[in-house]
Each structure stands twice: as structure tokens, then as C-alpha cells.
């Protein structure tokens, strides 16, 4: 598999020589061409600048002739390098023969793809392949406008990788795989990985990413959304960083869905339920419209398929002008003809006006297939900082939902709970006041939530160490504050449920 795709982009390295990919990987590792090696060589400022598509600091830091400097200039900075220097580091002739390198300017060679070190969650040294100039979006755009380009790892990719539940599973589906980063992660905990994409070039690059990273090959299938999935085929995990941008048309395959408004994200979520095994997770990044006269939370609830619990977190909202400008810059349109830029901007605003869209939300959607009679659907806004990776926190959220469904209030009071680690109490009130106006419990891990509680709730949480039942703790509090214990038992379960649901208290079972 190799050659030029129908997009007219440059030829890609061949995928039918795993032996060459393995030798290339060994050479990269031997030269410390890794995430840690780059940080040591370049220093933090130049390393961070690369993530913004700024190359000047890295060029200045690689003016020597060490093997690592040679590889950085070749694969990250896309600079021609003398063949002799490359041959001292890599199997250069094989790399040229298989298309990883191409001869230029007589005695020099250049990379045909961007190869970027990426540190796996367990300390793995992986390599993400992408089209030249498309490793990340950056503040100035991707540098190419060809609709078939395949991008590398950006903020959205790492966000999805971080929120994904990482339990061992038999089957995983990476829908819209792009450069293959989600498939690469899934290969570490899924027996079988299927990766799909509408763009055949993306499938080719995914195969390169997996091979160069030393991961198992995936089942690669071409097609849109769930079209490549066979009838009756189901999965334990589905992940997708889809082309979610709400735009007038489908100029860029990697980001524009080609459906009206947020229909692509809606279709993806609605169709995922029937593709999940019992207890399986589907996790997506998505954009959704805020339409005049409509509650955005109700809009998202209508997307959730039957038989699934759901947790939707809105992380950011942009008005339509901010949103249009962001994605026009992503495509580099701001660097072109001003009249053309203005026309494109107008087209975006015309589209939003026709749909009565006032703003666009961005966030995470997690589904879990459940046999519960009444699935739980939580739609919330949480724009505050969180601690990645969140996969374990998301799994625990759904485990707590199961617990709360199983236990009525009487059973809840018989239960035992522990305050999770790194929760602090904050009291807010006027200086010198005898009692605080309100008490806040704040997490320093996971979602880093904060929630108001009354003095009973704060006292209850503070003594939860798993030894006493909730009912006995409340009886003791009632005696301390001089309140009827029956009344306290009657009014407190709702607060306990909230603290459990939000992850402040952990059931001891």
C-alpha cells in the first residue's frame, strides 16, 4: 500500500515493509528521538514553541551535527539534510526505497511525512505520523489547504485520549481515526482495534503510526461514520474525535463534517448506542449549536440513544463571530486575500443566522450501554480546570450511578462511605462573622469540583472514613446540634446522593 492518493498530495511511505519500519523505529530510539529526548535537547521554550507551529527556536537549538539534531531537522522541522549525515543515523537507503525519505538537491534527503515523538500513558515511546506541515494546527493555521491533509496530535486529540476509559476490552472502534492516535492508545488495552476514516490517506497514515510505534496492526476500514461497521457488529469501546466543526460546506475533510449544523455529531451519538455491548462506553468530542429559543441542555438530551446512560460536559462556549474566526484562522484564510477572507466570514455568519444559532458549545459526550430501566442522563457545564487523564474518574462516575440506582434512601443510610482524597473545606462569609454564609467542599483531583453544603453536610463528609454507617453518623450529628434524628435522617439523603454522584464520597461496599 503506497503511492499518491486521489487528493493529489505527496506520496506516502509504503505500509508493506514492517521490517523497515521496525529498523527505523530502532534507529529513532537509539538517537533518543523521543518526547523526553526532545525536551532535553531543545529546552522547554523551544519545545513548547513547536506545539504552536513555531520552528525558529528549534532551528536555533539544532545547529549541531549530533544524531538527534539531525533527526529533529529532518522529521520535525522538515529541512533537507545531507545524505551522509542521515545515513550515519538511519537505514537511509531503505528509508528512501520505502518512501520515508526522498532525495532532493543532489546529495540531500528530506522527509516525506512529519514524524513526531509522543509519550504513551505508560511511558511508551510512540511516533505519530502526519502530513508535512500538519503536525498541529497552531495559531497560524495548518499551513496547507488541501482537503485531504491528515493532521497529527493536537489539543483535541490529547483531550479525547485523556478522558477515554482505559479498562481491558475485547474490541474497540476508533471512528474517524485521522493519524491514528486513538487507535494507538486503544491497542494497549483492546484485543481487537478497528479504525475507520472517510479519507483513505488517513487510514494509510494510521498504519504508519502503528507500525512505527511498535503497536499491533488495526483493522482499517474506509467510510463515513458507522458505514464501515458490519451489520450486527458491536464493540466494548467506541471513541471518536470527529470532524465536528459547524461550517458552511465541507472544505477540509479533517474538520468539516459536511452535514448541516451539528447534525454529524448528533447522528454519531444517536447511532452509537446500538453498536455498544452491554456496559460498553462510547466517548466523543463534539460541537453543538445554541439555538435561539431552545435550551442547549435539552438539545443534547435529545441526542442520547435509548438504553444508554450519558454524561455530557460543556467545556467552552463561543459566540458565532469567535467561532468563525477560530476556524478561518485554522485554515489559514486570514493570510490570504482580504476580500476572500471577508466573503468566507460572511458565509459562516449567513449560515448561523439562517439556523438562528447564537453560539456554539464544545465538550465531551460519554455514553454507557446499560440495562437499567431508567438510564441516567447528566448534561452540565464545567469550564473550569480539570486533571487529566480523566478516564478513571469517568468510569467511577458511572459506577456511582449504578450504586445510587440500586440503593433507596433507607439502604443509603445503612451504607458506609469514605471521603475521597484531597478534598478540602472552604468557609465563605464576612470577616469576623460567627458563622460562615456557606461552606464549600472542593476537590483537588479529577474534575476538581466545588459544591456548597450546609453545616450538617460538611460535618457528615468530614467524619466519613468507612467505619460507621451514614445513619449512625447522622444520629451523632443530631445529638450534637440538638436536632430530631428522624428529621435529620429524612432530609439528608438527597445531600448524600449529591456528594456521592459528584465524587466527594465513595461508597464502601
Amino acid at each position: 500500500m503506497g503511492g499518491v492518493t486521489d487528493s493529489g498530495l505527496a506520496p506516502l511511505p509504503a505500509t508493506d515493509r514492517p521490517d523497515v519500519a521496525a529498523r527505523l523505529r530502532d534507529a529513532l530510539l537509539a538517537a533518543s528521538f523521543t518526547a523526553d529526548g526532545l525536551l532535553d535537547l531543545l529546552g522547554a521554550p523551544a519545545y513548547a514553541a513547536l506545539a504552536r507551529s513555531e520552528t525558529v527556536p528549534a532551528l536555533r537549538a539544532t545547529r549541531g551535527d549530533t544524531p538527534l539534531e539531525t533527526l529533529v531537522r529532518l522529521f520535525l522541522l522538515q529541512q533537507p539534510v545531507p545524505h551522509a549525515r542521515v545515513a550515519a543515523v538511519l537505514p537511509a537507503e531503505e528509508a528512501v526505497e520505502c518512501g520515508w525519505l526522498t532525495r532532493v538537491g543532489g546529495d540531500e534527503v528530506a522527509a516525506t511525512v512529519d514524524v513526531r515523538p509522543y509519550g504513551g500513558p505508560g511511558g511508551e515511546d510512540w511516533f505519530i505520523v502526519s502530513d508535512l506541515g500538519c503536525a498541529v494546527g497552531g495559531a497560524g493555521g495548518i499551513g496547507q489547504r488541501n482537503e485531504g491533509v491528515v493532521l497529527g496530535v493536537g489539543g483535541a486529540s490529547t483531550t479525547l485520549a485523556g478522558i477515554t476509559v482505559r479498562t481491558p476490552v475485547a474490541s474497540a472502534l476508533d471512528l474517524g481515526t485521522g493519524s491514528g492516535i486513538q487507535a494507538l492508545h486503544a491497542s494497549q488495552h483492546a484485543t481487537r482495534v478497528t479504525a475507520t476514516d472517510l479519507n483513505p490517506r488517513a487510514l494509510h497514515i494510521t498504519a504508519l503510526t502503528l507500525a512505527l510505534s511498535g503497536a499491533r496492526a488495526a483493522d482499517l476500514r474506509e467510510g463515513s461514520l458507522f458505514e464501515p461497521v458490519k451489520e450486527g457488529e458491536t464493540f466494548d469501546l467506541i471513541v471518536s474525535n470527529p470532524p465536528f466543526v459547524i461550517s458552511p460546506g465541507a472544505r477540509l475533510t479533517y474538520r468539516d463534517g459536511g452535514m448541516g449544523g451539528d447534525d454529524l455529531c448528533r447522528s454519531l451519538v444517536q447511532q452509537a448506542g446500538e453498536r455498544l455491548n452491554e456496559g460498553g462506553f462510547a466517548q466523543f468530542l463534539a460541537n453543538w449549536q445554541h439555538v435561539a429559543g431552545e435550551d442547549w441542555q435539552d438539545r443534547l438530551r435529545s441526542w442520547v440513544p435509548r438504553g444508554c446512560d450519558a454524561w455530557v460536559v460543556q467545556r467552552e462556549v463561543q459566540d458565532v463571530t469567535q467561532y468563525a474566526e477560530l476556524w478561518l484562522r485554522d485554515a489559514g484564510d486570514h493570510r490570504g486575500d482580504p476580500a476572500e477572507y471577508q466573503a468566507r466570514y460572511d458565509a459562516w455568519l449567513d449560515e448561523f443566522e439562517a439556523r438562528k444559532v447564537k453560539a456554539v458549545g464544545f465538550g465531551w459526550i460519554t455514553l454507557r450501554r446499560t440495562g437499567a430501566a431508567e438510564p441516567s442522563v447528566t448534561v452540565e457545564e464545567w469550564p473550569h480546570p480539570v486533571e487529566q487523564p480523566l478516564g478513571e474518574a469517568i468510569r467511577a462516575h458511572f459506577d456511582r450511578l449504578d450504586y445510587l440506582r440500586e440503593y433507596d434512601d433507607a439502604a443509603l443510610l445503612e451504607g458506609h462511605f469514605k471521603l475521597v482524597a484531597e478534598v478540602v473545606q472552604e468557609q465563605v462569609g464576612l470577616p469576623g462573622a460567627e458563622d460562615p454564609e456557606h461552606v464549600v467542599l472542593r476537590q483537588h483531583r479529577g474534575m476538581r469540583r466545588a459544591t456548597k453544603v450546609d453545616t450538617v453536610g460538611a460535618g457528615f463528609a468530614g467524619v466519613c472514613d468507612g467505619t460507621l454507617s451514614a445513619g449512625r453518623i447522622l444520629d451523632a450529628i443530631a445529638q450534637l446540634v440538638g436536632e430530631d434524628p428522624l428529621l435529620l435522617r429524612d432530609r439528608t439523603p438527597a445531600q448524600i446522593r449529591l456528594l456521592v454522584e459528584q465524587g466527594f464520597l465513595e461508597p464502601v461496599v
Side-chain angles (χ1 to χ4, degrees):
M1 183 176 178
V4 181
T5 66
D6 290 341
S7 65
L9 288 162
L12 292 171
T15 58
D16 57 359
R17 289 293 304 275
D19 57 323
V20 174
R23 283 192 285 276
L24 189 57
R25 170 179 170 79
D26 289 343
L28 297 177
L29 294 176
S32 296
F33 187 67
T34 63
D36 290 341
L38 288 186
L39 185 58
D40 290 341
L41 171 68
L42 302 178
Y47 189 72
L50 275 179
R52 302 190 300 269
S53 295
E54 297 291 350
T55 59
V56 172
L59 284 167
R60 292 173 61 85
T62 56
R63 289 177 288 194
D65 59 0
T66 67
L68 182 54
E69 288 171 296
T70 296
L71 294 177
V72 171
R73 294 183 75 86
L74 185 65
F75 286 117
L76 266 66
L77 304 177
Q78 278 97 59
Q79 300 294 306
V81 178
H83 182 278
R85 281 183 58 185
V86 175
V89 183
L90 300 176
E93 285 307 311
E94 286 185 314
V96 170
E97 178 187 343
C98 291
W100 290 95
L101 303 176
T102 186
R103 294 185 181 276
V104 294
D107 65 345
E108 292 185 318
V109 293
T112 59
V113 288
D114 185 292
V115 176
R116 194 151 300 232
Y118 178 87
E124 301 92 348
D125 288 314
W126 290 338
F127 300 98
I128 309 301
V129 180
S130 64
D131 273 312
L132 296 175
C134 298
V136 291
I142 62 170
Q144 286 198 41
R145 296 193 190 185
N146 191 301
E147 66 174 16
V149 296
V150 178
L151 269 63
V153 177
S157 303
T158 55
T159 294
L160 179 58
I163 68 172
T164 299
V165 176
R166 299 294 176 194
T167 54
V169 294
S171 58
L173 170 65
D174 175 15
L175 195 152
T177 188
S179 61
I181 178 61
Q182 309 306 330
L184 182 55
H185 275 279
S187 70
Q188 301 302 292
H189 64 103
T191 303
R192 175 173 57 88
V193 177
T194 302
T196 72
D197 207 289
L198 179 64
N199 183 0
R201 190 175 182 86
L203 297 176
H204 192 128
I205 284 181
T206 290
L208 298 174
T209 289
L210 294 173
L212 198 58
S213 297
R216 296 191 315 274
D219 179 4
L220 304 177
R221 305 181 192 175
E222 183 180 343
S224 176
L225 298 180
F226 287 100
E227 287 177 1
V229 177
K230 301 169 186 175
E231 185 176 353
E233 189 176 16
T234 55
F235 301 88
D236 301 309
L237 174 67
I238 299 172
V239 292
S240 183
N241 176 18
F244 54 67
V245 176
I246 301 171
S247 60
R251 289 174 58 207
L252 299 171
T253 303
Y254 73 87
R255 67 165 210 194
D256 300 324
M259 295 186 184
D262 52 16
D263 283 354
L264 182 136
C265 291
R266 175 186 56 78
S267 298
L268 180 60
V269 174
Q270 289 180 337
Q271 294 173 24
E274 63 184 4
R275 302 297 186 181
L276 281 176
N277 293 324
E278 186 72 19
F281 286 92
Q283 299 185 263
F284 315 103
L285 302 184
N287 274 174
W288 44 80
Q289 298 173 150
H290 284 231
V291 179
E294 177 183 86
D295 187 311
W296 71 269
Q297 293 178 315
D298 289 342
R299 184 181 191 86
L300 270 295
R301 289 188 186 96
S302 73
W303 290 10
V304 178
R306 294 181 61 184
C308 288
D309 291 323
W311 186 15
V312 181
V313 181
Q314 180 167 273
R315 295 288 291 156
E316 184 180 1
V317 181
Q318 292 183 310
D319 67 50
V320 292
T321 59
Q322 292 174 312
Y323 188 80
E325 290 162 15
L326 169 67
W327 294 109
L328 287 167
R329 286 181 174 272
D330 171 81
D333 290 325
H334 62 301
R335 296 195 300 263
D337 177 55
E340 184 180 347
Y341 173 79
Q342 183 174 341
R344 291 193 186 280
Y345 200 150
D346 266 333
W348 283 68
L349 297 186
D350 285 345
E351 179 81 3
F352 287 132
E353 185 176 333
R355 295 180 176 276
K356 300 181 180 179
V357 176
K358 303 300 182 184
V360 177
F362 167 81
W364 321 323
I365 299 175
T366 300
L367 307 177
R368 184 188 61 167
R369 189 76 186 176
T370 179
E374 295 184 16
S376 168
V377 177
T378 300
V379 182
E380 62 175 321
E381 185 166 21
W382 189 253
H384 311 293
V386 298
E387 181 191 43
Q388 284 275 37
L390 273 170
E392 179 58 24
I394 289 175
R395 185 202 59 76
H397 167 86
F398 288 92
D399 285 348
R400 294 193 300 270
L401 288 183
D402 287 341
Y403 176 88
L404 293 172
R405 270 197 291 249
E406 183 180 347
Y407 288 82
D408 60 17
D409 286 354
L412 196 72
L413 292 176
E414 293 298 317
H416 295 238
F417 302 91
K418 287 178 64 176
L419 185 68
V420 302
E422 298 190 44
V423 172
V424 298
Q425 176 178 307
E426 300 173 357
Q427 297 187 167
V428 181
L430 293 174
E434 184 174 343
D435 296 312
E437 292 180 18
H438 57 262
V439 178
V440 174
L441 298 182
R442 187 179 301 277
Q443 302 167 350
H444 283 272
R445 303 298 300 272
M447 289 292 288
R448 294 178 174 167
R449 291 189 183 278
T451 190
K452 289 183 182 179
V453 292
D454 59 21
T455 53
V456 171
F460 177 86
V463 298
C464 279
D465 61 3
T467 58
L468 296 176
S469 70
R472 289 189 63 186
I473 293 174
L474 290 179
D475 291 343
I477 292 175
Q479 187 174 5
L480 281 173
V481 300
E483 188 168 340
D484 185 330
L486 292 179
L487 291 177
L488 197 61
R489 280 174 170 254
D490 187 57
R491 70 177 175 84
T492 306
Q495 192 167 194
I496 297 174
R497 286 184 181 278
L498 180 65
L499 291 174
V500 172
E501 181 182 345
Q502 294 192 344
F504 290 91
L505 294 178
E506 185 177 81
V508 178
V509 294

